[in-house]
Amino acid sequence: MTQADDGYLLDNRQSEAGQRFDAFANLFDPTTFRHFEAFGLGAGWRCWEVGAGGISVVSWLAGKVGPTGQVVATDIDTSLLAAAAHAPVEVRTHDVGTEEPPGEGFDLVHARLVLVHVPDRERALRSMIKALRPGGRLLVEDADPALQPLTCPYEYGPEQQLANRLRQGFRKLLAERGADLSYGRKLPRLLREAGLHQVEAEAYFPVASPACTALETATVRQIRDRLVTAGLATDEDIDRHLANVATGSMDLATAPMISAWGRKA
Protein backbone atom coordinates (compact mmCIF):
# COMPACT_ATOMS: atom_id res chain seq x y z
CA MET A 1 0.00 0.00 0.00
CA THR A 2 1.01 3.57 -0.41
CA GLN A 3 0.10 6.78 1.29
CA ALA A 4 -0.78 9.89 -0.69
CA ASP A 5 0.07 13.38 0.50
CA ASP A 6 -3.46 13.86 1.82
CA GLY A 7 -3.53 10.45 3.46
CA TYR A 8 -4.26 6.93 2.28
CA LEU A 9 -8.02 6.72 1.81
CA LEU A 10 -8.31 3.52 3.87
CA ASP A 11 -5.72 4.17 6.56
CA ASN A 12 -4.79 1.21 8.80
CA ARG A 13 -4.77 3.56 11.80
CA GLN A 14 -8.49 4.29 11.57
CA SER A 15 -10.71 2.35 13.94
CA GLU A 16 -12.67 0.71 11.11
CA ALA A 17 -9.55 -0.78 9.50
CA GLY A 18 -9.58 -3.87 11.71
CA GLN A 19 -13.23 -4.50 10.83
CA ARG A 20 -12.42 -4.24 7.14
CA PHE A 21 -9.52 -6.71 7.44
CA ASP A 22 -11.76 -9.14 9.32
CA ALA A 23 -14.31 -8.89 6.52
CA PHE A 24 -11.61 -9.42 3.88
CA ALA A 25 -10.44 -12.51 5.76
CA ASN A 26 -13.94 -13.97 5.83
CA LEU A 27 -14.53 -13.17 2.16
CA PHE A 28 -11.21 -13.96 0.56
CA ASP A 29 -9.03 -16.16 2.79
CA PRO A 30 -10.54 -19.43 1.51
CA THR A 31 -9.65 -18.47 -2.08
CA THR A 32 -6.15 -17.31 -1.16
CA PHE A 33 -5.40 -20.38 0.95
CA ARG A 34 -6.67 -22.70 -1.80
CA HIS A 35 -4.08 -21.24 -4.16
CA PHE A 36 -1.33 -21.59 -1.57
CA GLU A 37 -2.24 -25.23 -1.07
CA ALA A 38 -2.18 -25.84 -4.83
CA PHE A 39 1.38 -24.47 -4.94
CA GLY A 40 2.41 -27.15 -2.44
CA LEU A 41 3.34 -24.65 0.25
CA GLY A 42 4.75 -26.36 3.31
CA ALA A 43 7.41 -26.59 5.97
CA GLY A 44 10.57 -24.60 5.35
CA TRP A 45 9.14 -22.23 2.73
CA ARG A 46 10.26 -18.59 2.71
CA CYS A 47 7.34 -16.25 2.05
CA TRP A 48 6.94 -12.50 1.58
CA GLU A 49 3.46 -11.17 2.37
CA VAL A 50 3.28 -7.73 0.73
CA GLY A 51 1.02 -5.05 2.22
CA ALA A 52 -0.09 -7.51 4.85
CA GLY A 53 -2.45 -5.19 6.70
CA GLY A 54 -4.08 -7.69 9.07
CA ILE A 55 -2.77 -10.98 10.42
CA SER A 56 -5.02 -13.68 8.98
CA VAL A 57 -2.86 -14.56 5.96
CA VAL A 58 0.40 -14.06 7.85
CA SER A 59 -0.70 -16.34 10.69
CA TRP A 60 -1.88 -19.04 8.26
CA LEU A 61 1.43 -18.93 6.39
CA ALA A 62 3.37 -19.12 9.64
CA GLY A 63 1.49 -22.26 10.63
CA LYS A 64 2.27 -23.89 7.30
CA VAL A 65 5.99 -23.03 6.99
CA GLY A 66 6.71 -23.87 10.63
CA PRO A 67 9.89 -23.12 12.59
CA THR A 68 12.15 -23.97 9.66
CA GLY A 69 10.44 -21.46 7.37
CA GLN A 70 10.12 -17.69 7.27
CA VAL A 71 7.29 -15.22 6.68
CA VAL A 72 8.29 -11.60 6.04
CA ALA A 73 5.21 -9.40 6.48
CA THR A 74 5.52 -5.85 5.19
CA ASP A 75 3.29 -2.78 5.05
CA ILE A 76 3.64 0.98 5.20
CA ASP A 77 1.71 0.79 8.48
CA THR A 78 2.38 -2.32 10.57
CA SER A 79 0.20 -1.30 13.52
CA LEU A 80 -2.19 -4.22 13.02
CA LEU A 81 0.59 -6.80 12.65
CA ALA A 82 2.00 -6.66 16.19
CA ALA A 83 0.17 -9.80 17.29
CA ALA A 84 1.91 -11.84 14.58
CA ALA A 85 5.43 -10.49 15.14
CA HIS A 86 7.11 -13.64 16.45
CA ALA A 87 9.04 -16.47 14.80
CA PRO A 88 8.77 -17.47 12.04
CA VAL A 89 7.17 -14.10 11.21
CA GLU A 90 9.28 -10.99 10.70
CA VAL A 91 7.36 -7.70 10.45
CA ARG A 92 8.89 -4.78 8.56
CA THR A 93 7.73 -1.30 7.63
CA HIS A 94 8.14 -1.18 3.87
CA ASP A 95 6.66 0.50 0.77
CA VAL A 96 6.65 -1.95 -2.12
CA GLY A 97 6.22 0.87 -4.63
CA THR A 98 9.35 2.80 -3.68
CA GLU A 99 11.76 0.47 -1.86
CA GLU A 100 13.90 -2.53 -2.75
CA PRO A 101 12.47 -5.90 -1.68
CA PRO A 102 13.24 -7.06 1.88
CA GLY A 103 15.41 -9.91 0.65
CA GLU A 104 15.58 -12.41 -2.20
CA GLY A 105 15.21 -16.15 -2.68
CA PHE A 106 11.58 -16.33 -1.57
CA ASP A 107 9.58 -19.41 -2.48
CA LEU A 108 6.33 -17.41 -2.46
CA VAL A 109 5.48 -13.73 -2.79
CA HIS A 110 1.87 -12.70 -2.28
CA ALA A 111 -0.05 -9.42 -2.38
CA ARG A 112 -3.82 -9.13 -1.91
CA LEU A 113 -5.77 -5.92 -2.58
CA VAL A 114 -2.52 -3.94 -2.51
CA LEU A 115 -1.15 -3.06 -5.95
CA VAL A 116 -4.36 -1.39 -7.14
CA HIS A 117 -3.50 1.41 -4.68
CA VAL A 118 0.22 1.71 -5.47
CA PRO A 119 1.12 4.59 -7.83
CA ASP A 120 4.18 2.83 -9.27
CA ARG A 121 2.59 -0.58 -9.77
CA GLU A 122 5.11 -1.54 -12.43
CA ARG A 123 8.03 -1.06 -10.04
CA ALA A 124 6.20 -2.91 -7.28
CA LEU A 125 5.59 -5.90 -9.54
CA ARG A 126 9.23 -5.97 -10.66
CA SER A 127 10.33 -5.84 -7.03
CA MET A 128 8.11 -8.78 -6.09
CA ILE A 129 9.39 -10.89 -8.97
CA LYS A 130 12.99 -9.95 -8.20
CA ALA A 131 12.51 -11.28 -4.68
CA LEU A 132 11.54 -14.77 -5.90
CA ARG A 133 13.98 -17.65 -6.24
CA PRO A 134 14.07 -19.45 -9.59
CA GLY A 135 10.95 -21.59 -9.63
CA GLY A 136 9.30 -19.46 -6.94
CA ARG A 137 5.62 -18.56 -7.11
CA LEU A 138 3.99 -15.14 -7.32
CA LEU A 139 0.31 -14.73 -6.41
CA VAL A 140 -1.23 -11.29 -6.93
CA GLU A 141 -4.87 -10.79 -6.01
CA ASP A 142 -6.50 -7.48 -6.75
CA ALA A 143 -9.91 -5.94 -7.18
CA ASP A 144 -11.39 -4.74 -10.45
CA PRO A 145 -14.07 -2.22 -9.41
CA ALA A 146 -14.59 -1.09 -13.00
CA LEU A 147 -15.55 -4.64 -13.99
CA GLN A 148 -18.44 -4.61 -11.50
CA PRO A 149 -18.91 -1.10 -10.05
CA LEU A 150 -22.09 -1.59 -8.02
CA THR A 151 -22.78 -2.27 -4.36
CA CYS A 152 -26.16 -3.65 -5.36
CA PRO A 153 -26.01 -5.32 -8.80
CA TYR A 154 -29.81 -5.72 -8.61
CA GLU A 155 -30.94 -2.11 -8.29
CA TYR A 156 -34.68 -2.40 -7.68
CA GLY A 157 -35.43 0.35 -5.16
CA PRO A 158 -34.28 3.62 -3.58
CA GLU A 159 -32.13 1.83 -1.00
CA GLN A 160 -30.12 0.12 -3.73
CA GLN A 161 -29.90 3.32 -5.77
CA LEU A 162 -28.45 5.17 -2.77
CA ALA A 163 -25.96 2.37 -2.11
CA ASN A 164 -24.76 2.48 -5.70
CA ARG A 165 -24.47 6.28 -5.65
CA LEU A 166 -22.24 6.09 -2.56
CA ARG A 167 -20.14 3.35 -4.22
CA GLN A 168 -19.70 5.66 -7.21
CA GLY A 169 -18.40 8.32 -4.82
CA PHE A 170 -15.99 5.81 -3.26
CA ARG A 171 -14.66 4.89 -6.69
CA LYS A 172 -14.16 8.58 -7.51
CA LEU A 173 -12.13 9.07 -4.32
CA LEU A 174 -9.99 6.03 -5.13
CA ALA A 175 -9.34 7.19 -8.68
CA GLU A 176 -8.34 10.66 -7.48
CA ARG A 177 -5.66 9.02 -5.35
CA GLY A 178 -4.22 7.09 -8.26
CA ALA A 179 -5.97 3.73 -7.87
CA ASP A 180 -6.33 1.75 -11.10
CA LEU A 181 -9.94 0.61 -10.99
CA SER A 182 -9.45 -1.90 -13.82
CA TYR A 183 -6.15 -3.33 -12.58
CA GLY A 184 -7.38 -6.81 -11.72
CA ARG A 185 -8.14 -7.80 -15.31
CA LYS A 186 -4.64 -6.72 -16.42
CA LEU A 187 -2.81 -9.10 -14.10
CA PRO A 188 -2.48 -12.15 -16.38
CA ARG A 189 -0.92 -10.10 -19.17
CA LEU A 190 1.32 -8.22 -16.76
CA LEU A 191 2.64 -11.43 -15.23
CA ARG A 192 3.33 -12.94 -18.65
CA GLU A 193 5.06 -9.78 -19.88
CA ALA A 194 7.18 -9.79 -16.71
CA GLY A 195 8.55 -13.18 -17.74
CA LEU A 196 6.60 -15.51 -15.45
CA HIS A 197 5.67 -18.97 -16.67
CA GLN A 198 2.52 -21.07 -16.22
CA VAL A 199 0.42 -17.93 -15.68
CA GLU A 200 -3.22 -18.53 -14.74
CA ALA A 201 -5.99 -16.43 -13.24
CA GLU A 202 -9.51 -16.60 -11.88
CA ALA A 203 -12.05 -14.23 -10.33
CA TYR A 204 -14.07 -14.46 -7.13
CA PHE A 205 -17.20 -12.33 -6.85
CA PRO A 206 -19.20 -12.47 -3.60
CA VAL A 207 -22.72 -11.16 -4.11
CA ALA A 208 -24.34 -11.43 -0.69
CA SER A 209 -22.98 -12.48 2.69
CA PRO A 210 -22.64 -11.16 6.24
CA ALA A 211 -19.01 -10.32 5.43
CA CYS A 212 -20.12 -8.12 2.51
CA THR A 213 -22.43 -6.29 4.91
CA ALA A 214 -19.67 -5.86 7.49
CA LEU A 215 -17.24 -4.62 4.83
CA GLU A 216 -19.72 -2.09 3.46
CA THR A 217 -20.50 -0.71 6.92
CA ALA A 218 -16.84 -0.35 7.91
CA THR A 219 -15.81 1.15 4.56
CA VAL A 220 -18.58 3.76 4.47
CA ARG A 221 -17.84 4.77 8.04
CA GLN A 222 -14.13 5.02 7.24
CA ILE A 223 -14.59 7.27 4.20
CA ARG A 224 -17.60 9.20 5.50
CA ASP A 225 -15.80 12.49 6.06
CA ARG A 226 -14.08 12.26 2.66
CA LEU A 227 -17.38 11.71 0.88
CA VAL A 228 -19.01 14.66 2.61
CA THR A 229 -16.04 17.00 2.17
CA ALA A 230 -15.88 16.18 -1.55
CA GLY A 231 -19.57 16.88 -1.97
CA LEU A 232 -20.26 13.30 -3.05
CA ALA A 233 -22.77 12.62 -0.28
CA THR A 234 -24.42 14.27 2.70
CA ASP A 235 -24.38 13.10 6.29
CA GLU A 236 -28.08 12.35 5.86
CA ASP A 237 -27.34 10.15 2.84
CA ILE A 238 -24.77 8.19 4.78
CA ASP A 239 -26.92 7.81 7.88
CA ARG A 240 -29.79 6.55 5.75
CA HIS A 241 -27.55 4.08 3.90
CA LEU A 242 -26.02 2.70 7.08
CA ALA A 243 -29.51 2.25 8.52
CA ASN A 244 -30.58 0.43 5.33
CA VAL A 245 -27.56 -1.87 5.53
CA ALA A 246 -28.21 -2.58 9.21
CA THR A 247 -31.61 -4.11 8.38
CA GLY A 248 -29.78 -7.06 6.80
CA SER A 249 -32.22 -7.09 3.89
CA MET A 250 -29.88 -5.76 1.19
CA ASP A 251 -27.87 -7.98 -1.15
CA LEU A 252 -24.48 -6.24 -1.09
CA ALA A 253 -21.62 -7.17 -3.40
CA THR A 254 -17.93 -6.39 -3.56
CA ALA A 255 -15.81 -5.75 -6.62
CA PRO A 256 -14.52 -8.99 -8.17
CA MET A 257 -11.15 -10.08 -6.80
CA ILE A 258 -8.96 -11.45 -9.56
CA SER A 259 -6.22 -13.88 -8.53
CA ALA A 260 -3.32 -14.30 -10.95
CA TRP A 261 -0.29 -16.49 -10.42
CA GLY A 262 2.81 -17.67 -12.18
CA ARG A 263 6.26 -19.20 -11.69
CA LYS A 264 9.62 -17.51 -12.06
CA ALA A 265 11.91 -19.11 -14.61
Side-chain angles (χ1 to χ4, degrees), residues 10 42 45 62 86 98 119 127 220 224 233 249 252 263:
L10 299 166
W45 278 43
H86 51 81
T98 62
S127 177
V220 170
R224 176 182 191 130
S249 62
L252 303 173
R263 184 190 295 272

Side-chain angles (χ1 to χ4, degrees), residues 39 82 142 235 246:
F39 298 159
D142 241 313
D235 280 313

Side-chain angles (χ1 to χ4, degrees), residues 156 159-160 208-210 212-214 217 241-252:
Y156 61 88
E159 296 87 355
Q160 291 73 29
S209 77
C212 287
T213 300
T217 300
H241 174 60
L242 290 173
N244 292 338
V245 171
T247 67
S249 62
M250 299 181 70
D251 294 325
L252 303 173

Side-chain angles (χ1 to χ4, degrees), residues 138 148 189 213:
L138 175 68
Q148 194 298 104
R189 175 180 62 83
T213 300

Side-chain angles (χ1 to χ4, degrees), residues 13 30 65 75 79 87 111 157 160 165 173 191 224 230 237 261:
R13 292 166 293 183
V65 305
D75 205 318
S79 56
Q160 291 73 29
R165 179 160 64 83
L173 292 175
L191 266 57
R224 176 182 191 130
D237 290 333
W261 61 95

